[in-house]
Amino acid sequence: MTAVDCENLGVIIRPAVNDDAAPIASILNALLATTTIEWTETPQTPDSILEWLDEHERVLVAEEGGEVVGVAAFGWFRDVVKRPGYRFAVENTVHVREDHWRSGVGQALMHALVDEARATGKHTMVAAIDGANEVSIRFHERLGFVPVASIPEVGAKFGRWLGLVLLQLRLDDRAGPDDG
């Protein structure tokens, strides 16, 4: 992918590079201590982000004025080495710096990410979202994701049980994996 200039937003969507590790960590850590958006209490470091970059098939960032203001990625939905039947499904994540919420940056990142998934032959994208995160659930629904599962009390953080909502976006209309 080459960089995409979103003139109306004043941002460029481009593939993440190693130099983006620190700002990506900052974005992912911003709400870690106060929300259940991420089900961990361990902050990301630039080194852990470098590993995270390697674990994902695509990672895109939104850059404005030379600063990373958002990140979106997709990677395996399940371990495709052990279970190759899942090779056409990916799980996404998207995070935007708080001062850019509701600016269109998240939507631009997701449109670019979905385009990348389609270009690589993926069939479905899954979003796994904390059940209490109504903003993220509605955001994904506006992008065409549909709720397919709700799993109560599957996680924990802050001394309480957390539920998970799975949403799915079909990326193509192939009748089977060998079609098209």
Side-chain angles (χ1 to χ4, degrees):
M1 171 190 187
T2 58
V4 177
D5 188 1
C6 300
E7 289 181 25
N8 58 330
L9 297 176
V11 300
I12 294 172
I13 307 294
R14 62 169 175 77
V17 296
N18 288 350
D19 287 345
D20 297 324
I24 291 172
S26 177
I27 290 168
L28 296 180
N29 291 336
L31 301 173
L32 195 65
T34 58
T35 73
T36 56
I37 289 173
E38 292 287 336
W39 291 3
T40 182
E41 296 176 32
T42 305
Q44 295 280 1
T45 65
D47 286 340
S48 69
I49 291 298
L50 292 176
E51 291 177 30
W52 184 83
L53 291 172
D54 287 340
E55 293 168 357
H56 287 79
E57 188 172 336
R58 293 288 189 275
V59 181
L60 305 176
V61 294
E63 182 181 296
E64 179 185 67
E67 290 186 30
V68 173
V69 298
V71 61
F74 70 74
W76 293 347
F77 170 64
R78 306 263 325 252
D79 184 339
V80 298
V81 172
K82 292 180 183 176
R83 297 174 184 91
Y86 287 105
R87 69 190 175 279
F88 299 104
V90 292
E91 183 177 343
N92 82 287
T93 188
V94 58
H95 296 270
V96 176
R97 212 170 67 186
E98 192 170 359
D99 62 335
H100 283 72
W101 287 357
R102 295 176 187 80
S103 69
V105 169
Q107 190 174 40
L109 277 164
M110 282 301 298
H111 284 299
L113 193 69
V114 166
D115 288 347
E116 287 286 307
R118 286 183 173 128
T120 60
K122 301 304 184 239
H123 178 67
T124 190
M125 184 176 283
V126 176
I129 303 170
D130 178 81
N133 190 347
E134 289 292 326
V135 172
S136 186
I137 292 168
R138 299 297 162 250
F139 170 78
H140 281 81
E141 288 176 335
R142 285 191 302 276
L143 293 170
F145 284 75
V146 294
V148 292
S150 178
I151 310 169
E153 297 184 8
V154 71
K157 187 174 178 182
F158 303 138
R160 66 180 193 268
W161 296 117
L162 304 174
L164 187 68
V165 173
L166 298 177
L167 294 97
Q168 179 180 0
L169 177 67
R170 242 174 99 184
L171 301 170
D172 63 39
D173 292 325
R174 289 181 285 177
D178 297 328
D179 299 342

